Amino acid sequence: MKNKSVYLFLACILAGCADLLDTVPTDRLSSEVYWQTDKDAEYAANAIYQFLESPVTILGRDVMSDIARSTFETSDETKVEASIADPQTNIFQNTWNDLYKGIRRCNDYMANVDKITPADAALVNRVTSEVRTLRCYFYSRLVSYFGDVPLVTAPVGISESKTLTRTPVAEIYEFIHREISESAAYLPEQTNEKGRVTKGAALAILARTMLFAAGNVTETDSRPAVYLERAREAADAVIASNVYSLLPEYKGLFTYENENSREVIFDRQFVKDLQSNSVMNNFGAVSLGNNGSMMSPTIVLVDEYETAGGKKITEDSSYDPENPYVNRDPRLGYTLYVPGSILPNGTVYDSRPGWSSSADVIGASYQVSKTGLLPRKYINAEDIGQSNRSNCGINLILIRYAEILLTAAEARIELNVEPDVALRYINEVRRRPDVDMPALSGVASQDALRQAVRHERMVELGLEGNRFFDIRRWKIAESVCNADRITGMRYVDKNSGEPVTITTDYYKRFTKRDYLWPVPYNERQLNPGLTQNNGWN
């Protein structure tokens, strides 16, 4: 097994309790006895990594975009998709809680680390910089969901928490920029302990955050040029480090064999039996012994993949409606299971009604994909079987090099500078050896380049959780996420021989209010000073 960091959960590190005699408790870890050595700082920092999102959280976000729909119609994602969720919907509270738990751990660390007289100042500075960066990561996620949120940088008690107010996003973005810029100086470019925050990871987080900030989703912070320039600078620094490169085989990106490859900039590490995840059970085919994928990809994603000649399927006469998945951008087959794909156990995936008795056929059970399509990324043979389907050890990639290349390209396009550099980065992604799509040329206008980079993000990063955020910062969610019927796979009817397209009696709705999630109901009950986002009262 590859080297992975062990994230030690020190549940009571910062308890700091005392009785009437002010004695130090002996039945738990206390801040009075814990913060003494360099290792105390390192272990406390390790404990924070467990608050990074799970595969279900990250990958499941694309369910609430145009490229997928929820398989299970009683889920919170279904309510969000249909714009019928309210501030009491659990997904909002859970997201808020999970991110603030991570922030609380970071604040506890920062409040106590100075108690240590370090033997190795460089080590303590490094892990402290990791913590500062992780806190920025949590905040960058919070603002992308909720907009203005309380910016808390020190531990607070119950009474104080009831007086907190929402901090404008502009202040939070400035905090993130400052914290990461300062922390990056103490972070190494590479580390033997995989999964730790490196300088490249910190700058990649900054680049992504600033690119989202430029979208001004809250409509209260219109400084796109400032944010785009910061995104470009951070992405360029990652590229210039020469630490990262594209993995030659896109097909192998999400496999055990290629964990911790040079393309991975920031990930969450998992280990079977110790720190596992349930990606197989939550996204794998029913025929592999799983409960069914929570995500049913749509034809919107399929149709975005060009033909092998680099043309849209509507513009290429070689496209065959009776063989719709043939002669296409190879990333289609690496991202999705379509009829005829080979599953990790060597069997053929077949969801076509009337063609087989597979457990994956549409309508075979409530658990199967409603569109006949399934996500392929992170579904590996090592995780097949009833005994280990929720005991997966595959790492979850949070940011990879291809995204940074596309961020560097997009920032230039939106700033309307260096179009040749932007096009070079887009083509670098397209020309990965096992993708080998034709290089773009003659794309000169800002609008044409914008469409090119948006296309590339959609097909390169498809079903990795990015689309949910992209359609919000681009302000296109209202146009792409409103549909009365969701369309799925295309196939040929066995009896008539005619092409068929699966359509589901399922709708998506997206209104202006949905660009921001609501401040959860319980939070406003506990603290009436927290205002609500527009449209959610």
Side-chain angles (χ1 to χ4, degrees):
M1 179 177 292
K2 298 185 184 293
N3 182 21
K4 298 188 178 187
S5 298
V6 177
Y7 304 143
L8 303 176
F9 179 37
L10 306 177
C12 296
I13 287 175
L14 305 158
C17 302
D19 61 16
L20 293 175
L21 297 178
D22 197 30
T23 57
V24 176
T26 58
D27 62 341
R28 74 201 73 176
L29 287 169
S30 166
S31 60
E32 296 181 48
V33 297
Y34 180 79
W35 294 96
Q36 297 182 10
T37 69
D38 296 0
K39 279 296 181 182
D40 291 342
E42 188 173 8
Y43 291 153
N46 289 353
I48 297 169
Y49 283 87
Q50 69 161 333
F51 294 101
L52 293 170
E53 300 106 318
S54 70
V56 171
T57 298
I58 289 291
L59 307 182
R61 289 301 182 246
D62 278 348
V63 166
M64 297 171 286
S65 75
D66 54 336
I67 64 174
R69 57 152 288 188
S70 177
T71 299
F72 305 114
E73 298 181 5
T74 58
S75 69
D76 283 353
E77 287 82 359
T78 298
K79 297 176 183 177
V80 175
E81 282 187 274
S83 194
I84 59 173
D86 61 49
Q88 296 188 66
T89 302
N90 289 333
I91 193 171
F92 304 139
Q93 185 71 65
N94 292 341
T95 301
W96 180 283
N97 287 351
D98 290 345
L99 291 168
Y100 268 116
K101 285 177 183 177
I103 290 167
R104 172 59 189 261
R105 289 293 178 184
C106 293
N107 290 342
D108 286 342
Y109 175 101
M110 296 301 297
N112 286 282
V113 68
D114 286 344
K115 295 176 181 177
I116 295 171
T117 301
D120 184 346
L123 170 64
V124 175
N125 284 336
R126 174 175 65 81
V127 295
T128 299
S129 296
E130 291 178 28
V131 171
R132 293 173 72 185
T133 301
L134 289 170
R135 182 167 59 178
C136 289
Y137 179 83
F138 297 136
Y139 269 117
S140 73
R141 285 309 212 189
L142 270 172
V143 296
S144 66
Y145 289 119
F146 301 101
D148 301 348
V149 296
L151 176 60
V152 185
T153 59
V156 296
I158 293 176
S159 59
E160 186 179 354
S161 69
K162 293 180 179 180
T163 65
L164 296 173
T165 57
R166 299 174 70 187
T167 305
V169 291
E171 293 183 30
I172 299 176
Y173 286 135
E174 290 303 316
F175 171 80
I176 291 172
H177 180 255
R178 182 176 63 255
E179 285 284 293
I180 291 183
S181 297
E182 293 176 1
S183 298
Y186 298 100
L187 292 168
E189 290 194 333
Q190 294 177 291
T191 175
N192 291 328
E193 295 180 283
K194 302 303 181 183
R196 304 198 81 95
V197 172
T198 60
K199 178 177 293 187
L203 293 171
I205 292 167
L206 180 60
R208 175 192 278 179
T209 303
M210 294 297 103
L211 195 65
F212 188 91
N216 189 20
V217 176
T218 63
E219 298 185 344
T220 60
D221 184 24
S222 184
R223 296 183 293 163
V226 171
Y227 293 131
L228 289 167
E229 183 58 33
R230 290 175 177 176
R232 185 194 64 79
E233 289 177 356
D236 283 358
V238 176
I239 294 168
S241 72
N242 292 318
V243 172
Y244 309 99
S245 61
L246 297 175
L247 187 71
E249 295 186 352
Y250 187 98
K251 183 180 181 180
L253 270 171
F254 309 97
T255 64
Y256 284 92
E257 179 183 3
N258 289 305
E259 287 185 321
N260 306 312
S261 75
R262 282 178 59 88
E263 182 156 350
V264 178
I265 298 177
F266 186 42
D267 66 355
R268 180 174 176 182
Q269 301 268 310
F270 290 96
V271 183
K272 288 187 179 185
D273 300 318
L274 181 63
Q275 181 91 331
S276 62
N277 64 62
S278 58
V279 66
M280 171 64 81
N281 196 42
N282 288 112
F283 295 99
V286 173
S287 65
L288 297 179
N290 304 304
N291 285 335
S293 173
M294 63 178 287
M295 173 190 293
S296 295
T298 68
I299 203 66
V300 170
L301 178 58
V302 174
D303 286 352
E304 189 68 20
Y305 291 95
E306 299 167 337
T307 63
K311 297 180 179 179
K312 295 180 180 180
I313 60 173
T314 56
E315 299 173 354
D316 193 334
S317 60
S318 70
Y319 172 71
D320 182 1
E322 295 188 5
N323 295 284
Y325 314 111
V326 176
N327 195 37
R328 303 286 293 278
D329 181 334
R331 288 173 292 188
L332 168 57
Y334 301 152
T335 301
L336 294 161
Y337 284 118
V338 300
S341 297
I342 304 300
L343 292 168
N345 64 354
T347 63
V348 176
Y349 175 71
D350 195 351
S351 55
R352 300 172 298 173
W355 277 91
S356 76
S357 58
S358 168
D360 299 319
V361 170
I362 287 180
S365 71
Y366 76 92
Q367 298 166 300
V368 302
S369 170
K370 300 298 190 295
T371 61
L373 305 165
L374 282 178
R376 184 169 189 157
K377 294 174 178 178
Y378 297 105
I379 304 301
N380 292 290
E382 291 91 337
D383 296 325
I384 295 173
Q386 294 289 336
S387 63
N388 70 352
R389 62 186 185 177
S390 294
N391 186 26
C392 305
I394 188 71
N395 295 342
L396 174 68
I397 301 172
L398 298 173
I399 306 179
R400 56 188 178 91
Y401 187 60
E403 179 186 345
I404 292 302
L405 288 171
L406 296 176
T407 295
E410 184 177 347
R412 284 174 166 80
I413 292 166
E414 295 304 327
L415 287 167
N416 208 14
V417 299
E418 301 181 318
D420 55 329
V421 177
L423 191 59
R424 184 173 78 242
Y425 287 151
I426 293 171
N427 282 329
E428 187 173 341
V429 174
R430 290 174 64 84
R431 299 292 293 162
R432 187 195 301 262
D434 78 334
V435 173
D436 197 28
M437 289 296 289
L440 300 178
S441 61
V443 183
S445 73
Q446 184 183 35
D447 186 62
L449 283 167
R450 180 181 293 128
Q451 296 309 312
V453 77
R454 291 185 179 188
H455 161 81
E456 210 59 35
R457 284 187 66 90
M458 190 169 174
V459 298
E460 172 70 22
L461 306 174
L463 304 185
E464 295 177 43
N466 291 280
R467 183 69 176 172
F468 172 89
F469 300 100
D470 283 349
I471 62 175
R472 283 162 170 73
R473 65 185 180 85
W474 292 333
K475 304 287 183 63
I476 64 171
E478 287 171 276
S479 61
V480 303
C481 282
N482 273 297
D484 292 329
R485 289 181 178 273
I486 301 301
T487 305
M489 69 174 178
R490 296 190 177 99
Y491 71 103
V492 174
D493 183 86
K494 187 174 184 179
N495 296 319
S496 69
E498 296 295 321
V500 176
T501 300
I502 291 293
T503 58
T504 65
D505 187 16
Y506 187 93
Y507 68 89
K508 285 180 180 280
R509 292 286 184 270
F510 196 101
T511 65
K512 189 174 180 61
R513 73 160 193 172
D514 297 312
Y515 281 105
L516 293 174
W517 281 2
V519 175
Y521 173 84
N522 287 342
E523 298 304 314
R524 299 190 69 222
Q525 292 299 299
L526 293 169
N527 180 1
L530 294 176
T531 57
Q532 186 56 281
N533 285 323
N534 291 336
W536 289 99
N537 284 311

